[in-house]
């Protein structure tokens, strides 16, 4: 038993010594922490004292416990104490800890008529809170520390009672009143803002000058302060001007979108339809009330499918997977499809990413373009089939000197196909090939000179023989837009009259 008691004393002695050293350190720190410029405490009123270490209360005097409405410091942590002190000192920190190894901060009451202030001394993991009442040499005339700060702030601050009656206003409030009210309305204190008694969130309020037709905007915050309310107004004119400019810009875009012939559907980051234009209704036949209900992308495409305004999927079970792939492709600016609809129309659908994760889908009716392209392609194929049916070998030379077209007889006669060459097949390449396949003659030199001279827009006729002995006529005739047609016609062995060739029809 003696040994047990002895061991307890050995533990208790260092613990008591540690607590004594803690109290001494806090008192010594409190003595050193005092600095000029802090409010002067009233010696006639008791000072509350709270001591903390690592977020837990280790000691407090009766006046300090009275502030926390507690009788003992046991079980009180920093968070619970801070929540009570913030009712009077809103800026009081919610966590213990100095910005540097040691610091001293002063917190004044929110109500400018409240003389109470709190001084927080912190050193490493130690903290002391002193709650005091300031005093003045002349209590009736000297302003408080908080009152001076609130009076000289550049933003309007005013105080009202519970009924909304104006009790006090700072210099910025009175200066604002002079700019919007005549002098005869300055007494008593003018009421500029129609503010409710209490509001948990800032509210936007306008102050109007009817003489100059000027509207000033402010964000007003109201805070309860022991039987009255303190209101703070911050300038919101820049924000309001930006919002007005944004609304005008959106209205301009809306008018522009309304005149577009391309259907526009913008889905937000949640894949809900947030914007569409009238062309989308015309192109998709979707009702306006459905689009106005902000359907998601899946419902949007389901309705398109029901209206047969998109190609029918081959496998309906994979339909939702296809929509998911569409969303990913549109977000990466990779979605572009051509839809051939059962009605015969053809739509081009593109997906484009927009800021903040939004996606824009553009629907364009390209039926006329597709029809024109198909008709143009059919005309080209018809023209090619016509010249392929001609017995004479024909080649067309473009204004830049390249062979742009030829028929089957030409490809057979000269054993070449200009359409299959990677490089341009020029008239120079053709002349070289014609020389190699024909008998020795100076005719090709004359033909080349004619093509390269200024008279190349005039017809040119001639005759040559192939190495096989077969004779052919050569005829170059100008076409419109600088094009020329060259034709090769086989001749009978007794046909030597070149002048007769001028009457041949190509």
């Amino acid at each position: 038993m003696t040994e047990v008691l002895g061991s307890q004393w050995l533990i208790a002695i260092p613990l008591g010594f540690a607590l004594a050293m803690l109290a001494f350190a806090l008192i010594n720190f409190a003595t050193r922490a005092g600095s000029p410029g802090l409010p002067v405490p009233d010696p006639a009123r008791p000072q509350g004292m709270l001591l903390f270490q690592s977020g837990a209360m280790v000691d407090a005097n009766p006046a300090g416990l009275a502030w926390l409405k507690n009788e003992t410091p046991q079980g009180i942590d920093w968070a619970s104490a801070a929540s009570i002190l913030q009712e009077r000192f809103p800026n009081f920190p919610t966590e213990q800890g100095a910005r540097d190894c040691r610091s001293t901060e002063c917190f004044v009451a929110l109500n400018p008529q409240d003389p109470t202030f709190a001084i927080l001394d912190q050193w490493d993991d130690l903290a002391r809170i002193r709650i005091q009442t300031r005093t003045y040499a002349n209590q009736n005339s000297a302003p408080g520390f908080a009152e001076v700060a609130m009076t000289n702030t550049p933003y309007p601050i005013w105080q009202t009672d519970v009924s909304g009656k104006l009790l006090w206003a700072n210099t910025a409030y009175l200066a604002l009143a002079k700019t919007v009210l005549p002098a005869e309305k300055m007494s008593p204190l003018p009421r500029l803002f129609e503010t409710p008694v209490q509001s948990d969130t800032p509210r936007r309020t306008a102050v109007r000058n009817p003489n100059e037709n000027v509207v000033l905007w402010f964000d007003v915050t109201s805070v309860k302060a022991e039987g009255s309310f303190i209101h703070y107004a911050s300038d919101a004119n820049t924000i309001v001007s930006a919002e007005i400019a944004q609304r005008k810009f959106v209205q301009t875009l809306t008018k522009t979108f309304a005149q577009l012939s391309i259907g526009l559907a913008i889905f937000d980051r949640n894949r809900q339809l947030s914007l569409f234009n009238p062309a989308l209704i015309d192109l998709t036949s979707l009702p306006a009330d459905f689009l106005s209900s902000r359907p998601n992308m899946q419902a949007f495409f389901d309705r398109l499918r029901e209206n047969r305004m998109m190609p029918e999927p081959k496998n309906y079970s994979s339909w939702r997977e296809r929509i998911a792939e569409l969303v990913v492709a549109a977000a990466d600016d990779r979605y572009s499809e051509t839809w051939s609809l059962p009605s015969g129309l053809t739509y081009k659908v593109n997906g484009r990413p927009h800021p903040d994760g939004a996606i824009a889908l553009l629907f364009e009716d390209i039926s006329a373009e597709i029809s024109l392209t198909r008709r143009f392609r059919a005309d080209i194929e018809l023209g090619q089939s016509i010249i392929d049916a001609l017995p004479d070998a024909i080649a067309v030379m473009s204004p830049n000197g390249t062979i742009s077209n030829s028929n089957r007889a030409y490809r057979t006669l000269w054993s070449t196909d200009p359409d299959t060459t990677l490089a341009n097949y020029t008239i120079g390449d053709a002349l070289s090939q014609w020389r190699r396949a024909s008998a020795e003659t100076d005719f090709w030199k004359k033909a080349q000179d004619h093509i390269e001279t200024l008279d190349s827009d005039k017809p040119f006729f001639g005759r040559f023989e192939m190495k096989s002995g077969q004779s052919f006529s050569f005829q170059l005739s100008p076409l419109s837009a600088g094009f020329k047609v060259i034709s090769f016609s086989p001749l009978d062995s007794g046909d030597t009259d070149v002048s007769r060739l001028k009457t041949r029809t190509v």
Side-chain angles (χ1 to χ4, degrees):
M1 185 68 178
T2 304
E3 293 176 358
V4 173
L5 292 175
S7 62
Q8 291 177 347
W9 277 102
L10 289 175
I11 296 173
I13 290 174
L15 179 59
F17 179 76
L19 291 175
M21 290 301 294
L22 171 62
F24 174 79
L26 287 171
I27 294 172
N28 185 42
F29 170 65
T31 303
R32 291 198 308 258
S35 60
L38 295 177
V40 179
D42 186 352
R45 300 188 182 185
Q47 172 181 271
M49 183 81 71
L50 306 172
L51 302 179
F52 288 83
Q53 183 178 24
S54 301
M57 181 179 289
V58 295
D59 201 358
N61 67 354
L65 293 174
W67 268 90
L68 303 181
K69 301 177 182 180
N70 276 67
E71 297 180 356
T72 61
Q74 283 74 20
I76 301 177
D77 59 4
W78 183 275
S80 59
S83 64
I84 297 174
L85 294 176
Q86 285 174 348
E87 296 177 0
R88 182 168 291 197
F89 315 110
N91 296 328
F92 195 87
T94 57
E95 295 181 358
Q96 180 186 348
R99 287 188 296 268
D100 299 317
C101 62
R102 62 179 64 184
S103 67
T104 299
E105 296 179 88
C106 180
F107 303 93
V108 296
L110 180 64
N111 187 352
Q113 297 179 349
D114 187 349
T116 308
F117 65 97
I119 297 178
L120 172 60
D121 303 318
Q122 296 195 84
W123 183 15
D124 294 334
D125 63 338
L126 306 177
R128 183 192 68 167
I129 303 173
R130 289 178 290 167
I131 306 173
Q132 302 174 331
T133 302
R134 61 181 181 270
T135 184
Y136 305 105
N138 185 346
Q139 291 284 349
N140 296 324
S141 60
F145 176 81
E147 188 175 352
V148 171
M150 295 178 67
T151 299
N152 296 326
T153 185
Y155 301 105
I157 302 176
W158 65 101
Q159 182 182 15
T160 60
D161 59 15
V162 292
S163 64
K165 181 182 178 181
L166 191 62
L167 302 177
W168 171 88
N170 69 345
T171 304
Y173 183 99
L174 297 176
L176 175 63
K178 290 180 180 179
T179 61
V180 298
L181 296 176
E184 60 269 16
K185 292 187 178 182
M186 291 297 295
S187 180
L189 286 176
R191 184 170 180 175
L192 299 178
F193 299 86
E194 293 295 331
T195 55
V197 174
Q198 185 174 5
S199 177
D200 296 333
T201 58
R203 59 203 176 278
R204 189 152 295 167
T205 306
V207 176
R208 304 178 185 275
N209 185 344
N211 297 329
E212 300 180 6
N213 196 23
V214 175
V215 179
L216 303 176
W217 291 92
F218 295 88
D219 287 335
V220 179
T221 303
S222 301
V223 181
K224 188 176 182 180
E226 292 189 355
S228 64
F229 292 89
I230 305 295
H231 309 278
Y232 305 86
S234 59
D235 187 355
N237 288 289
T238 303
I239 299 176
V240 172
S241 298
E243 291 175 348
I244 293 175
Q246 183 182 20
R247 282 197 298 270
K248 291 182 178 178
F249 178 70
V250 171
Q251 291 173 358
T252 302
L253 287 181
T254 303
K255 292 179 181 178
T256 303
F257 292 157
Q259 298 174 358
L260 288 177
S261 59
I262 298 176
L264 177 66
I266 297 181
F267 295 85
D268 59 20
R269 63 188 308 173
N270 297 321
R271 300 301 175 256
Q272 285 186 307
L273 184 63
S274 60
L275 179 65
F276 65 93
N277 65 342
L280 184 69
I281 301 176
D282 298 336
L283 292 174
T284 62
S285 300
L286 295 179
D289 56 348
F290 170 73
L291 297 175
S292 300
S293 65
R294 302 190 65 205
N296 59 31
M297 187 172 285
Q298 184 67 51
F300 176 81
F301 280 102
D302 282 343
R303 183 64 71 90
L304 284 180
R305 179 181 172 274
E306 293 173 4
N307 290 357
R308 298 174 63 85
M309 295 307 298
M310 67 179 303
E312 181 67 22
K314 296 180 181 179
N315 185 1
Y316 186 74
S317 61
S318 62
W319 169 245
R320 293 187 178 273
E321 295 180 3
R322 181 187 175 190
I323 296 300
E325 294 174 357
L326 182 152
V327 172
V328 174
D332 294 339
D333 199 9
R334 293 183 292 104
Y335 180 73
S336 181
E337 286 188 356
T338 299
W339 290 358
S340 297
L341 306 182
S343 61
L345 297 176
T346 304
Y347 285 176
K348 184 178 182 181
V349 183
N350 290 322
R352 295 288 183 266
H354 270 234
D356 198 25
I359 290 176
L361 294 180
L362 291 83
F363 296 81
E364 183 180 2
D365 186 358
I366 59 172
S367 302
E369 178 184 345
I370 293 297
S371 177
L372 180 62
T373 301
R374 289 171 179 170
R375 187 162 55 248
F376 180 68
R377 185 182 297 114
D379 291 343
I380 292 178
E381 292 175 354
L382 177 61
Q384 184 65 46
S385 63
I386 291 174
I387 66 172
D388 282 342
L390 295 176
D392 293 344
I394 296 175
V396 178
M397 185 176 70
S398 65
N400 62 1
T402 60
I403 302 300
S404 59
N405 199 5
S406 61
N407 67 347
R408 186 182 298 110
Y410 179 90
R411 296 190 291 271
T412 302
L413 175 63
W414 300 109
S415 301
T416 185
D417 188 355
D419 295 337
T420 60
T421 59
L422 296 178
N424 288 333
Y425 184 70
T426 66
I427 188 64
D429 299 329
L431 284 168
S432 299
Q433 190 171 21
W434 299 340
R435 284 192 180 96
R436 289 194 300 270
S438 59
E440 188 68 27
T441 178
D442 61 350
F443 170 73
W444 298 119
K445 179 65 171 62
K446 295 177 182 178
Q448 182 176 0
D449 293 341
H450 176 81
I451 293 173
E452 294 176 352
T453 59
L454 296 177
D455 295 335
S456 60
D457 58 342
K458 295 180 180 180
F460 178 79
F461 306 92
R463 180 179 181 278
F464 67 93
E465 289 185 0
M466 301 290 287
K467 289 184 177 180
S468 61
Q470 175 69 42
S471 297
F472 284 85
S473 67
F474 175 92
Q475 181 175 344
L476 185 145
S477 302
L479 301 176
S480 62
F483 284 86
K484 299 177 179 62
V485 60
I486 303 172
S487 61
F488 302 87
S489 302
L491 297 174
D492 296 335
S493 57
D495 192 355
T496 59
D497 187 2
V498 177
S499 62
R500 188 182 64 81
L501 298 178
K502 298 181 182 181
T503 61
R504 290 180 62 90
T505 302
V506 178

